[in-house]
Amino acid sequence: MAAVDVAADSAPRHARRVAMVSGGVGGLGTEICRALARQGHRVVAVDLPVEGDRLARFRDQTAGLDVQLESVDVGDFAACGSLVQRIEGACGSVDILVNAAGITRDTRLANMDPAQWDDVLRVNLDGVFNLCRHAVAGMVARGFGRIVNISSVNGQTGQFGQTNYAAAKAGMHGFTMALAREVARKGVTVNSVSPGYCETAMVMAVPDAVRERIVESVPVGRLGRPHEIARAVTFLTAEDAGFITGANLPVNGGLFMSF
Ligand code: CAA
């Protein structure tokens, strides 16, 4: 007779968790906050200080949802530590961490100055280390955690003008697999999502002609929508996603297919 997996059957599908989303005011980050809040989670969006129109837009987009805003520079190790402590103090835990903070400084390597390299590595890769380093201990102690690192198709394929960004995004996935192994027996999963080109300010900043050429090469024939990335995050952070770890989930409209 087949064994019945009682644990899986009785696992709550919709436990209310505390989720922290870096880059929470960004194009993908806000949609991820909204999606996690709609799952019933208490969400903390973290980003650099925001004000004016950008803040008003964020408030509007998250109105009626349990999303609070905290400011931090993810490249600042000590500040990330204080932030995690503050959230754990106020909310009891950080159960879900989504690292979505990311910037570009696109230019050919021949023209790239060290600041353009450092800025991208600091935010996109150090930021992942800084938040994971502080958040993971609590997850391990409580026996539950979901970490999702938002990487990029360009970390898988490289992109002209993105040696810095591609290095950071590929590095994120190496980090993801290594940490996944370290915490696999503690109820903590660590995965990456690799979006393709989406309808965000970052992608709209690419020169029109270049972007149009890229979109033409996407099998689905269009840019991705932020909620389509958020869908991958809610999938990987679900209570019953505990057997998926160290994985990369591409969400790129078929731009790069691999297995
Ligand atoms: N492939 C091959 N050659 C290219 C090229 C490409 N994709 N793009 C430009 N070139 C060529 C140019 O035609 C030019 O050739 P000539 O010297 O023979 O005329 C040469 O390279 C130099 O071009 P530029 O002077 O324009 O190069 P630059 O150093 O100023 O950099 C660039 C140009 C800023 C990189 C520009 O090409 C660009 O913005 N490209 C898009 C980069 C991109 O896709 N970024 C993604 C941002 S969104 C994101 O990152 C989100 C995500 O995760 C998907």
Side-chain angles (χ1 to χ4, degrees):
M1 195 174 75
V4 177
D5 187 345
V6 177
D9 285 346
S10 60
R13 291 278 145 81
H14 300 292
R16 181 170 158 81
R17 301 285 185 181
V18 178
M20 173 161 71
V21 181
S22 80
V25 184
L28 299 181
T30 302
E31 207 52 52
I32 292 168
C33 290
R34 282 153 51 97
L36 289 171
R38 287 191 186 118
Q39 298 285 303
H41 301 309
R42 188 171 178 184
V43 178
V44 184
V46 304
D47 215 305
L48 289 172
V50 277
E51 51 190 23
D53 287 351
R54 207 160 163 249
L55 179 59
R57 199 166 50 248
F58 176 77
R59 294 274 185 233
D60 192 43
Q61 287 171 322
T62 56
L65 296 171
D66 190 351
V67 180
Q68 71 181 76
L69 185 56
E70 292 275 351
S71 62
V72 80
D73 173 357
V74 295
D76 181 334
F77 181 74
C80 288
S82 310
L83 174 74
V84 169
Q85 240 180 5
R86 209 159 60 240
I87 297 172
E88 287 186 334
C91 306
S93 59
V94 172
D95 309 302
I96 297 171
L97 168 62
V98 183
N99 286 298
I103 60 169
T104 52
R105 297 285 183 268
D106 292 355
T107 189
R108 282 177 296 148
L109 183 71
N111 296 328
M112 190 176 292
D113 61 43
Q116 290 169 311
W117 173 265
D118 289 341
D119 287 352
V120 169
L121 270 289
R122 182 174 178 276
V123 174
N124 298 14
L125 193 53
D126 294 359
V128 174
F129 166 76
N130 291 341
L131 286 175
C132 287
R133 175 68 181 77
H134 292 294
V136 85
M139 293 179 181
V140 165
R142 289 182 295 271
F144 179 89
R146 298 278 183 267
I147 298 175
V148 179
N149 296 321
I150 306 299
S151 182
S152 166
V153 65
N154 291 346
Q156 299 176 284
T157 63
Q159 173 59 291
F160 186 100
Q162 288 201 307
T163 50
N164 48 6
Y165 187 85
K169 293 299 188 180
M172 279 170 84
H173 190 59
F175 177 100
T176 296
M177 293 186 289
L179 181 59
R181 290 179 189 277
E182 293 180 16
V183 295
R185 303 213 170 189
K186 307 292 182 189
V188 181
T189 65
V190 191
N191 294 289
S192 54
V193 170
S194 291
Y197 284 75
C198 295
E199 291 167 356
T200 61
M202 180 184 279
V203 167
M204 297 327 267
V206 173
D208 290 350
V210 176
R211 194 180 55 252
E212 279 157 22
R213 258 202 324 274
I214 292 169
V215 174
E216 273 168 26
S217 69
V218 177
V220 169
R222 61 169 174 84
L223 294 172
R225 297 173 184 126
H227 73 82
E228 294 173 312
I229 307 305
R231 179 66 189 88
V233 174
T234 55
F235 171 69
L236 291 170
T237 53
E239 294 294 308
D240 56 1
F243 204 56
I244 307 174
T245 199
N248 176 53
L249 179 47
V251 189
N252 60 31
L255 180 59
F256 176 63
M257 300 183 191
S258 63
F259 71 98

